[in-house]
Amino acid sequence: MKLDGIRVLDMSSFLPGPYLTLSMADHGAEVIKIEAPGEGDPGRGILPMDGAHSAFFRNLNRGKKSIVLNLKNDDDREQLLKLAETADVIVESSRPGVARRLGVDYESVAARNPGIVYCAISAFGQDGPYKDRPGYDFMIQAMGGLMSITGAPDQEPGGQPMKVGVAVADIFTGLYATIGI
């Protein structure tokens, strides 16, 4: 496989990051999903359920290993940083500034592994005027104008914009991040 021998730490959740790391796992990378205690990745609760598991979560996380770490805990954070010493790639999707507050940002990881490829996914980037805004796929579709050409507006005067049936902004984010890595 193309990515045999590559180790990826996946600290992401929902769709874009897990889609990126799924692609890497499908191509042979060892992907270790890092989840917080309790709920873990919120994608675990997206319906429909497939027995005890969300079909959404299962589809995006197949082929990955999993570990539960509380990054607010010094010992667990140290365990992640030790894993990072042996990793090639880290993917995270927390709000800008969260990884830094937890001590798992690029600078903290690169101090222990200078060759790490660190991918931070956020709705509006790591800096700039919208960086602190939360973002979801349908918001990006609306802000980008996609909803204005989908559904009723192009079919009837005065019709309302409509989101695309799949999470295209999230999927494209995952794909572009794959290319970037």
Side-chain angles (χ1 to χ4, degrees):
M1 307 273 316
K2 295 176 187 174
L3 298 179
D4 279 346
I6 300 294
R7 176 178 270 183
V8 179
L9 302 182
D10 179 2
M11 298 190 301
S12 67
S13 60
F14 286 117
L15 181 55
Y19 189 72
L20 155 63
T21 58
L22 171 65
S23 176
M24 296 182 81
D26 285 349
H27 285 91
E30 175 193 21
V31 178
I32 303 170
K33 183 151 181 84
I34 313 295
E35 293 186 79
E39 178 186 46
D41 182 337
R44 287 181 174 276
I46 294 176
L47 300 176
M49 298 303 282
D50 181 17
H53 303 281
S54 159
F56 176 89
F57 181 85
R58 183 175 288 181
N59 287 338
L60 285 171
N61 293 287
R62 68 175 186 262
K64 301 176 186 179
K65 297 176 180 177
S66 182
I67 185 171
V68 174
L69 294 175
N70 179 354
L71 298 179
K72 295 176 182 177
N73 174 287
D74 291 341
D75 292 337
D76 284 8
R77 183 181 323 101
E78 179 60 27
Q79 189 174 350
L80 174 75
L81 292 170
K82 283 215 178 286
L83 277 172
E85 292 173 4
T86 66
D88 300 288
V89 176
I90 291 183
V91 177
E92 63 99 346
S93 63
S94 52
R95 292 180 320 279
V98 171
R100 175 168 279 120
R101 281 195 307 274
L102 292 172
V104 296
D105 58 315
Y106 171 75
E107 290 79 10
S108 300
V109 173
R112 297 176 75 152
N113 181 350
I116 196 77
V117 173
Y118 192 100
C119 178
I121 297 172
S122 64
F124 298 103
Q126 299 298 304
D127 51 38
Y130 290 174
K131 72 177 173 95
D132 293 323
R133 288 186 178 188
Y136 300 94
D137 184 271
F138 65 87
M139 293 169 60
I140 305 304
Q141 288 183 35
M143 290 179 77
L146 182 58
M147 288 172 66
S148 71
I149 59 171
T150 306
D154 63 344
Q155 297 173 15
E156 62 184 75
Q160 294 298 308
M162 180 180 284
K163 68 184 179 101
V164 176
V166 297
V168 294
D170 283 350
I171 291 169
F172 285 156
T173 299
L175 288 173
Y176 282 122
T178 302
I179 293 166
I181 289 177

